[in-house]
Amino acid sequence: ARMFLRDDDPVEVRHVQPYEAVKTYRCPGCDHEIPPGQGHEVVVPVDAPDLRRHWHTGCWRREQRRRAR
């Protein structure tokens, strides 16, 4: 897992391998589904792990670049 700051709050980011992805999730970056079998990122706020979200890898990278500006 990697640590990042998001809105000045620390988050842990873990890549989910395709074989580990067994459920459908909705990406908050694009509001589209992440189907089972698709690798993606799990973003977990350190101070609020119950607010974890599953992101498409590309959407998460775009979000990181957008926030870096």
Side-chain angles (χ1 to χ4, degrees):
R2 298 161 294 183
M3 297 296 288
F4 292 94
L5 285 178
R6 182 165 188 247
D7 296 331
D8 294 327
D9 296 320
V11 294
E12 182 178 319
V13 179
R14 183 177 71 85
H15 181 72
V16 176
Q17 296 292 337
Y19 67 86
E20 297 175 298
V22 296
K23 291 174 57 178
T24 299
Y25 297 98
R26 183 156 303 272
C27 175
C30 66
D31 200 36
H32 289 109
E33 288 186 349
I34 302 170
Q38 183 175 28
H40 61 278
E41 309 303 315
V42 178
V43 179
V44 183
V46 171
D47 296 332
D50 54 317
L51 296 179
R52 75 177 176 270
R53 295 292 177 260
H54 294 252
W55 290 70
H56 290 109
T57 300
C59 291
W60 177 248
R61 287 183 180 148
R62 265 191 303 283
E63 178 76 1
Q64 288 297 101
R65 282 194 306 270
R66 185 181 72 79
R67 291 178 182 278
R69 293 181 189 178

